[in-house]
Amino acid sequence: MKNTFMNRIIRLFAIIIVLIFVSSTLLYLLERNHPGTMIHSFSDALWWGIVTVTTIGYGDIVPLTPGGRIIGTILIVFGFCSLTIFTAILASVFVEDKLKGAKGLKKIKLSGHFVICGLNDSTEFMLKAFQEKRGFNKNIVLVGNYSVEKFESIQSKFTKLNLQFVRGEQTQVEILNRASISSAERVFIVSDEQNSREMADDYTIVVVNTVKYINPDIKLTVQLINASKKHLLKRSGVDEILVYDELSGYILANNPESDCSVSIVEKLLKENDHRMELLDVPEHLVGKSFGDLHSFLWGELNVIAIGLIDYQKNLKLNDIFSDDSSAIDEYIKATLAKAKSVNTDRNDLITIHPDKDFKIKSNHKVLIL
């Protein structure tokens, strides 16, 4: 579309420039020897040609010969027509671009945004949580093979969010590229309601592999229907896996003992004033104890430290083949550690309420309430 538009504009400008030069040259030859002429040089004729073709008509230079007036008339008519054509081309491009965007067929040019692949009840709950989250201003791109009307219905419910839409099969590289997966900050993949429960997880796994093919380092959160498929995603390097209704089962099972566990979890997840969040550990507390961290956060920020998350550093080839041999040692250690614990769960990196003497590391993040 852009190439066609540019070709049209270039051709139109080329014709206009040629006509201006031809008309200015003829006018100069016809008018220069006429008594009382206003055209004393080719630059005067060229100025007249530019003013005339744009239909501005200052009136500072007027042709006096019959031939000059005929040329002027032709140039005025052509100038009006050329401006009309140019406006029509420009309008058609903007209208076409807007229609493509509304239909989910336009490439989304964003970076640092969130992408949500798939649609079910969880999608709308997620969008509701984003809308209620204080200070949330991320662009969100929804990807799915559903109608424009469906997207507009979702958009009307969450007017505070910056929502955009890419329509098509999430398993296709072209569709995901339209959502700018390569520059996204995080991708959420939910079980699409258009698939049966038996096929939903298989489809989700294909989507995960396609996303990983485009952006191997992307942060992924994936929803599954069947817990037995978790190991397949683990092999693909997906750590954040949520099994549909798995957490609900634990909450419901715990409720008879506490009588209010459902309300507690709901309050922790929904209320902005008591929401769980992750914070970077202050530099001066690295190497200190969890007790020191807890006291600092409670005293200075009035928040409670309830746990730690160990964010392991992901080494890249540039780190491995650097002049610093310690990077190689670190890589070997990390590789051996992975070899010993292929089935290690991401939960092993999360420590809830560690001992007060637990030492804080530089790669720790603190979970606060």
Side-chain angles (χ1 to χ4, degrees):
M1 182 190 72
K2 289 185 177 179
N3 290 335
T4 304
F5 168 70
M6 288 304 298
N7 289 336
R8 290 176 183 174
I9 294 297
I10 290 170
R11 284 199 297 267
L12 185 60
F13 273 127
I15 293 171
I16 291 173
I17 289 170
V18 169
L19 188 64
I20 288 174
F21 270 95
V22 171
S23 301
S24 300
T25 301
L26 291 175
L27 190 77
Y28 174 66
L29 295 175
L30 290 169
E31 296 282 326
R32 62 179 176 173
N33 296 322
H34 189 279
T37 183
M38 301 176 186
I39 299 175
H40 304 289
S41 64
F42 179 74
S43 61
D44 291 336
L46 188 61
W47 168 253
W48 169 87
I50 294 171
V51 169
T52 303
V53 81
T54 55
T55 67
I56 295 174
Y58 285 123
D60 54 343
I61 298 177
V62 179
L64 301 176
T65 63
R69 290 177 178 175
I70 291 172
I71 293 171
T73 302
I74 294 171
L75 205 55
I76 290 170
V77 172
F78 182 83
F80 175 78
C81 293
S82 63
L83 286 175
T84 303
I85 294 170
F86 177 78
T87 303
I89 293 173
L90 200 61
S92 67
V93 168
F94 282 116
V95 170
E96 186 178 355
D97 187 66
K98 190 169 183 179
L99 287 174
K100 287 185 73 173
K103 293 178 180 178
L105 304 176
K106 179 182 176 183
K107 179 174 175 58
I108 308 296
K109 295 181 179 179
L110 292 172
S111 62
H113 56 293
F114 287 174
V115 178
I116 302 177
C117 295
L119 182 68
N120 61 24
D121 292 339
S122 300
T123 309
E124 296 204 17
F125 284 126
M126 193 188 314
L127 293 174
K128 184 175 185 291
F130 284 144
Q131 182 163 266
E132 293 174 352
K133 191 173 183 180
R134 191 166 41 213
F136 184 85
N137 59 358
K138 292 283 184 183
N139 289 293
I140 300 175
V141 180
L142 304 180
V143 182
N145 197 16
Y146 46 89
S147 66
V148 176
E149 290 75 19
K150 182 65 176 177
F151 170 69
E152 289 175 348
S153 172
I154 295 171
Q155 196 174 36
S156 66
K157 295 177 185 177
F158 306 104
T159 54
K160 294 181 181 178
L161 295 178
N162 302 318
L163 293 178
Q164 297 191 58
F165 172 48
V166 171
R167 185 182 182 187
E169 290 295 335
Q170 309 144 47
T171 55
Q172 296 181 11
V173 173
E174 178 191 351
I175 300 301
L176 293 179
N177 279 332
R178 271 200 236 144
S180 294
I181 290 286
S182 58
S183 59
E185 179 180 327
R186 180 177 285 275
V187 176
F188 301 88
I189 302 175
V190 302
S191 298
D192 202 300
E193 63 184 12
Q194 294 182 341
N195 298 315
S196 64
R197 289 182 67 89
E198 294 75 20
M199 296 296 297
D201 286 348
D202 293 333
Y203 187 86
T204 297
I205 291 168
V206 175
V207 177
V208 169
N209 289 328
T210 309
V211 170
K212 282 285 188 179
Y213 170 77
I214 299 172
N215 188 350
D217 299 322
I218 192 70
K219 295 177 181 177
L220 266 176
T221 301
V222 182
Q223 181 190 56
L224 289 176
I225 300 294
N226 192 337
S228 65
K229 300 291 180 72
K230 286 177 73 173
H231 70 283
L232 298 174
L233 293 181
K234 292 285 186 181
R235 291 176 185 173
S236 300
V238 180
D239 293 315
E240 295 295 326
I241 304 169
L242 177 66
V243 177
Y244 189 76
D245 274 351
E246 186 177 49
L247 292 179
S248 300
Y250 281 102
I251 295 170
L252 291 170
N254 192 56
N255 201 55
E257 298 176 10
S258 66
D259 292 328
C260 60
S261 62
V262 174
S263 300
I264 291 171
V265 173
E266 185 177 19
K267 197 173 186 69
L268 285 175
L269 294 178
K270 287 187 175 182
E271 288 198 9
N272 285 322
D273 293 336
H274 303 95
R275 191 186 295 273
M276 290 186 293
E277 294 181 5
L278 276 179
L279 287 181
D280 292 324
V281 174
E283 289 185 11
H284 70 278
L285 289 172
V286 174
K288 302 289 186 180
S289 69
F290 181 77
D292 294 329
L293 175 64
H294 185 281
S295 299
F296 172 80
L297 293 175
W298 176 249
E300 298 295 326
L301 303 180
N302 197 31
V303 296
I304 301 172
I306 59 177
L308 295 169
I309 298 181
D310 188 354
Y311 275 80
Q312 301 287 350
K313 179 184 178 184
N314 293 322
L315 294 179
K316 298 183 180 179
L317 290 177
N318 290 337
D319 299 322
I320 298 167
F321 296 104
S322 65
D323 295 331
D324 184 4
S325 60
S326 63
I328 299 177
D329 295 336
E330 190 176 348
Y331 172 73
I332 293 171
K333 290 177 183 178
T335 304
L336 289 173
K338 287 180 181 179
K340 291 179 182 179
S341 57
V342 177
N343 296 320
T344 298
D345 197 288
R346 182 67 178 267
N347 291 335
D348 295 339
L349 303 177
I350 302 171
T351 306
I352 300 297
H353 197 261
D355 186 81
K356 65 178 182 179
D357 296 324
F358 188 92
K359 295 298 181 184
I360 307 298
K361 300 177 184 177
S362 59
N363 52 312
H364 275 140
K365 285 184 180 287
V366 56
L367 181 63
I368 65 164
L369 179 61

PDB file of all heavy atoms in Angstrom, residues 18-19 97 112 120 124 137 154 170 186 192 259 264 275 293-294 301 326 366:
ATOM      1  N   VAL A  18       7.404  18.938 -14.567  1.00  0.00           N
ATOM      2  CA  VAL A  18       7.639  19.050 -16.014  1.00  0.00           C
ATOM      3  C   VAL A  18       6.742  20.129 -16.612  1.00  0.00           C
ATOM      4  O   VAL A  18       7.185  20.971 -17.416  1.00  0.00           O
ATOM      5  CB  VAL A  18       7.392  17.693 -16.707  1.00  0.00           C
ATOM      6  CG1 VAL A  18       7.369  17.862 -18.233  1.00  0.00           C
ATOM      7  CG2 VAL A  18       8.466  16.691 -16.306  1.00  0.00           C
ATOM      8  N   LEU A  19       5.453  20.133 -16.220  1.00  0.00           N
ATOM      9  CA  LEU A  19       4.508  21.120 -16.758  1.00  0.00           C
ATOM     10  C   LEU A  19       4.900  22.540 -16.354  1.00  0.00           C
ATOM     11  O   LEU A  19       4.797  23.475 -17.153  1.00  0.00           O
ATOM     12  CB  LEU A  19       3.102  20.806 -16.273  1.00  0.00           C
ATOM     13  CG  LEU A  19       1.986  21.633 -16.918  1.00  0.00           C
ATOM     14  CD1 LEU A  19       1.903  21.330 -18.406  1.00  0.00           C
ATOM     15  CD2 LEU A  19       0.648  21.380 -16.257  1.00  0.00           C
ATOM     16  N   ASP A  97      -5.938   2.986   5.781  1.00  0.00           N
ATOM     17  CA  ASP A  97      -5.147   2.653   6.965  1.00  0.00           C
ATOM     18  C   ASP A  97      -6.038   2.510   8.199  1.00  0.00           C
ATOM     19  O   ASP A  97      -5.870   1.598   9.004  1.00  0.00           O
ATOM     20  CB  ASP A  97      -4.092   3.740   7.191  1.00  0.00           C
ATOM     21  CG  ASP A  97      -3.119   3.384   8.308  1.00  0.00           C
ATOM     22  OD1 ASP A  97      -2.364   2.411   8.141  1.00  0.00           O
ATOM     23  OD2 ASP A  97      -3.112   4.085   9.336  1.00  0.00           O
ATOM     24  N   GLY A 112       7.815  -2.500  24.002  1.00  0.00           N
ATOM     25  CA  GLY A 112       7.574  -2.498  25.438  1.00  0.00           C
ATOM     26  C   GLY A 112       6.119  -2.685  25.820  1.00  0.00           C
ATOM     27  O   GLY A 112       5.695  -2.321  26.915  1.00  0.00           O
ATOM     28  N   ASN A 120     -10.849 -15.702  26.289  1.00  0.00           N
ATOM     29  CA  ASN A 120     -11.817 -16.422  27.118  1.00  0.00           C
ATOM     30  C   ASN A 120     -12.182 -15.517  28.293  1.00  0.00           C
ATOM     31  O   ASN A 120     -11.809 -14.342  28.307  1.00  0.00           O
ATOM     32  CB  ASN A 120     -11.275 -17.793  27.574  1.00  0.00           C
ATOM     33  CG  ASN A 120     -10.027 -17.681  28.423  1.00  0.00           C
ATOM     34  OD1 ASN A 120      -9.764 -16.658  29.051  1.00  0.00           O
ATOM     35  ND2 ASN A 120      -9.238 -18.744  28.440  1.00  0.00           N
ATOM     36  N   GLU A 124     -10.825 -11.146  29.887  1.00  0.00           N
ATOM     37  CA  GLU A 124     -11.529  -9.952  30.376  1.00  0.00           C
ATOM     38  C   GLU A 124     -11.223  -9.685  31.851  1.00  0.00           C
ATOM     39  O   GLU A 124     -11.118  -8.529  32.255  1.00  0.00           O
ATOM     40  CB  GLU A 124     -13.041 -10.108  30.150  1.00  0.00           C
ATOM     41  CG  GLU A 124     -13.405 -10.189  28.673  1.00  0.00           C
ATOM     42  CD  GLU A 124     -14.838  -9.757  28.391  1.00  0.00           C
ATOM     43  OE1 GLU A 124     -15.438  -9.095  29.264  1.00  0.00           O
ATOM     44  OE2 GLU A 124     -15.336 -10.082  27.299  1.00  0.00           O
ATOM     45  N   ASN A 137      -0.029   1.941  32.450  1.00  0.00           N
ATOM     46  CA  ASN A 137      -0.198   2.684  31.194  1.00  0.00           C
ATOM     47  C   ASN A 137       0.388   1.954  29.985  1.00  0.00           C
ATOM     48  O   ASN A 137       0.757   2.583  28.997  1.00  0.00           O
ATOM     49  CB  ASN A 137       0.438   4.073  31.318  1.00  0.00           C
ATOM     50  CG  ASN A 137       1.926   4.010  31.636  1.00  0.00           C
ATOM     51  OD1 ASN A 137       2.473   2.917  31.806  1.00  0.00           O
ATOM     52  ND2 ASN A 137       2.586   5.140  31.699  1.00  0.00           N
ATOM     53  N   ILE A 154     -15.187  -5.496  23.669  1.00  0.00           N
ATOM     54  CA  ILE A 154     -14.181  -5.508  24.739  1.00  0.00           C
ATOM     55  C   ILE A 154     -13.640  -4.102  24.976  1.00  0.00           C
ATOM     56  O   ILE A 154     -13.491  -3.645  26.115  1.00  0.00           O
ATOM     57  CB  ILE A 154     -13.029  -6.467  24.376  1.00  0.00           C
ATOM     58  CG1 ILE A 154     -13.540  -7.904  24.305  1.00  0.00           C
ATOM     59  CG2 ILE A 154     -11.880  -6.352  25.366  1.00  0.00           C
ATOM     60  CD1 ILE A 154     -12.537  -8.889  23.753  1.00  0.00           C
ATOM     61  N   GLN A 170      -3.272 -17.143  15.801  1.00  0.00           N
ATOM     62  CA  GLN A 170      -2.100 -16.843  16.633  1.00  0.00           C
ATOM     63  C   GLN A 170      -0.927 -17.761  16.338  1.00  0.00           C
ATOM     64  O   GLN A 170       0.201 -17.489  16.768  1.00  0.00           O
ATOM     65  CB  GLN A 170      -2.479 -16.980  18.103  1.00  0.00           C
ATOM     66  CG  GLN A 170      -3.733 -16.212  18.490  1.00  0.00           C
ATOM     67  CD  GLN A 170      -4.536 -16.974  19.527  1.00  0.00           C
ATOM     68  OE1 GLN A 170      -4.002 -17.468  20.507  1.00  0.00           O
ATOM     69  NE2 GLN A 170      -5.855 -17.073  19.326  1.00  0.00           N
ATOM     70  N   ARG A 186       6.048  -8.428  27.250  1.00  0.00           N
ATOM     71  CA  ARG A 186       5.514  -9.674  27.804  1.00  0.00           C
ATOM     72  C   ARG A 186       4.363 -10.166  26.930  1.00  0.00           C
ATOM     73  O   ARG A 186       3.629  -9.366  26.351  1.00  0.00           O
ATOM     74  CB  ARG A 186       5.032  -9.471  29.238  1.00  0.00           C
ATOM     75  CG  ARG A 186       4.465 -10.708  29.904  1.00  0.00           C
ATOM     76  CD  ARG A 186       4.078 -10.454  31.339  1.00  0.00           C
ATOM     77  NE  ARG A 186       5.228 -10.363  32.221  1.00  0.00           N
ATOM     78  CZ  ARG A 186       5.835 -11.408  32.781  1.00  0.00           C
ATOM     79  NH1 ARG A 186       5.402 -12.633  32.532  1.00  0.00           N
ATOM     80  NH2 ARG A 186       6.862 -11.248  33.581  1.00  0.00           N
ATOM     81  N   ASP A 192      -7.844 -20.433  24.087  1.00  0.00           N
ATOM     82  CA  ASP A 192      -8.836 -19.753  23.253  1.00  0.00           C
ATOM     83  C   ASP A 192     -10.185 -20.447  23.338  1.00  0.00           C
ATOM     84  O   ASP A 192     -10.291 -21.671  23.187  1.00  0.00           O
ATOM     85  CB  ASP A 192      -8.355 -19.718  21.798  1.00  0.00           C
ATOM     86  CG  ASP A 192      -9.025 -18.621  21.009  1.00  0.00           C
ATOM     87  OD1 ASP A 192     -10.258 -18.640  20.902  1.00  0.00           O
ATOM     88  OD2 ASP A 192      -8.321 -17.721  20.524  1.00  0.00           O
ATOM     89  N   ASP A 259     -12.365 -20.666  56.673  1.00  0.00           N
ATOM     90  CA  ASP A 259     -13.693 -20.051  56.490  1.00  0.00           C
ATOM     91  C   ASP A 259     -13.662 -18.748  55.701  1.00  0.00           C
ATOM     92  O   ASP A 259     -14.714 -18.170  55.454  1.00  0.00           O
ATOM     93  CB  ASP A 259     -14.375 -19.776  57.847  1.00  0.00           C
ATOM     94  CG  ASP A 259     -14.753 -21.071  58.549  1.00  0.00           C
ATOM     95  OD1 ASP A 259     -15.067 -22.038  57.829  1.00  0.00           O
ATOM     96  OD2 ASP A 259     -14.721 -21.092  59.787  1.00  0.00           O
ATOM     97  N   ILE A 264      -9.816 -13.739  51.466  1.00  0.00           N
ATOM     98  CA  ILE A 264      -8.452 -13.240  51.672  1.00  0.00           C
ATOM     99  C   ILE A 264      -7.718 -13.104  50.347  1.00  0.00           C
ATOM    100  O   ILE A 264      -7.117 -12.060  50.042  1.00  0.00           O
ATOM    101  CB  ILE A 264      -7.674 -14.185  52.622  1.00  0.00           C
ATOM    102  CG1 ILE A 264      -8.252 -14.104  54.035  1.00  0.00           C
ATOM    103  CG2 ILE A 264      -6.193 -13.821  52.642  1.00  0.00           C
ATOM    104  CD1 ILE A 264      -7.705 -15.157  54.979  1.00  0.00           C
ATOM    105  N   ARG A 275      -2.350  -4.460  47.463  1.00  0.00           N
ATOM    106  CA  ARG A 275      -1.947  -5.364  46.386  1.00  0.00           C
ATOM    107  C   ARG A 275      -0.513  -5.866  46.599  1.00  0.00           C
ATOM    108  O   ARG A 275       0.361  -5.126  47.066  1.00  0.00           O
ATOM    109  CB  ARG A 275      -2.025  -4.630  45.042  1.00  0.00           C
ATOM    110  CG  ARG A 275      -1.873  -5.558  43.839  1.00  0.00           C
ATOM    111  CD  ARG A 275      -1.822  -4.739  42.567  1.00  0.00           C
ATOM    112  NE  ARG A 275      -3.062  -4.040  42.324  1.00  0.00           N
ATOM    113  CZ  ARG A 275      -4.104  -4.559  41.673  1.00  0.00           C
ATOM    114  NH1 ARG A 275      -4.048  -5.800  41.247  1.00  0.00           N
ATOM    115  NH2 ARG A 275      -5.184  -3.848  41.463  1.00  0.00           N
ATOM    116  N   LEU A 293      16.012  -6.223  55.814  1.00  0.00           N
ATOM    117  CA  LEU A 293      15.174  -5.775  54.698  1.00  0.00           C
ATOM    118  C   LEU A 293      13.749  -5.534  55.171  1.00  0.00           C
ATOM    119  O   LEU A 293      13.123  -4.519  54.828  1.00  0.00           O
ATOM    120  CB  LEU A 293      15.193  -6.819  53.581  1.00  0.00           C
ATOM    121  CG  LEU A 293      14.276  -6.576  52.379  1.00  0.00           C
ATOM    122  CD1 LEU A 293      14.695  -5.309  51.639  1.00  0.00           C
ATOM    123  CD2 LEU A 293      14.301  -7.764  51.429  1.00  0.00           C
ATOM    124  N   HIS A 294      13.220  -6.453  55.965  1.00  0.00           N
ATOM    125  CA  HIS A 294      11.854  -6.339  56.476  1.00  0.00           C
ATOM    126  C   HIS A 294      11.701  -5.068  57.314  1.00  0.00           C
ATOM    127  O   HIS A 294      10.739  -4.299  57.150  1.00  0.00           O
ATOM    128  CB  HIS A 294      11.514  -7.582  57.304  1.00  0.00           C
ATOM    129  CG  HIS A 294      10.094  -7.633  57.770  1.00  0.00           C
ATOM    130  ND1 HIS A 294       9.633  -6.908  58.852  1.00  0.00           N
ATOM    131  CD2 HIS A 294       9.022  -8.319  57.288  1.00  0.00           C
ATOM    132  CE1 HIS A 294       8.358  -7.147  59.021  1.00  0.00           C
ATOM    133  NE2 HIS A 294       7.952  -8.006  58.092  1.00  0.00           N
ATOM    134  N   LEU A 301       8.952   2.559  54.097  1.00  0.00           N
ATOM    135  CA  LEU A 301       7.926   2.563  53.047  1.00  0.00           C
ATOM    136  C   LEU A 301       6.556   2.111  53.537  1.00  0.00           C
ATOM    137  O   LEU A 301       5.586   2.136  52.790  1.00  0.00           O
ATOM    138  CB  LEU A 301       8.368   1.670  51.873  1.00  0.00           C
ATOM    139  CG  LEU A 301       9.710   2.016  51.221  1.00  0.00           C
ATOM    140  CD1 LEU A 301      10.007   1.043  50.089  1.00  0.00           C
ATOM    141  CD2 LEU A 301       9.720   3.453  50.701  1.00  0.00           C
ATOM    142  N   SER A 326      35.684 -15.318  34.208  1.00  0.00           N
ATOM    143  CA  SER A 326      34.708 -15.675  35.236  1.00  0.00           C
ATOM    144  C   SER A 326      33.343 -15.948  34.633  1.00  0.00           C
ATOM    145  O   SER A 326      32.550 -16.706  35.174  1.00  0.00           O
ATOM    146  CB  SER A 326      34.598 -14.553  36.276  1.00  0.00           C
ATOM    147  OG  SER A 326      34.121 -13.366  35.677  1.00  0.00           O
ATOM    148  N   VAL A 366      12.071  -8.447  46.023  1.00  0.00           N
ATOM    149  CA  VAL A 366      11.297  -8.663  47.230  1.00  0.00           C
ATOM    150  C   VAL A 366       9.809  -8.537  46.938  1.00  0.00           C
ATOM    151  O   VAL A 366       9.366  -7.625  46.238  1.00  0.00           O
ATOM    152  CB  VAL A 366      11.717  -7.673  48.355  1.00  0.00           C
ATOM    153  CG1 VAL A 366      11.597  -6.231  47.913  1.00  0.00           C
ATOM    154  CG2 VAL A 366      10.897  -7.904  49.621  1.00  0.00           C
TER     155      VAL A 366
END
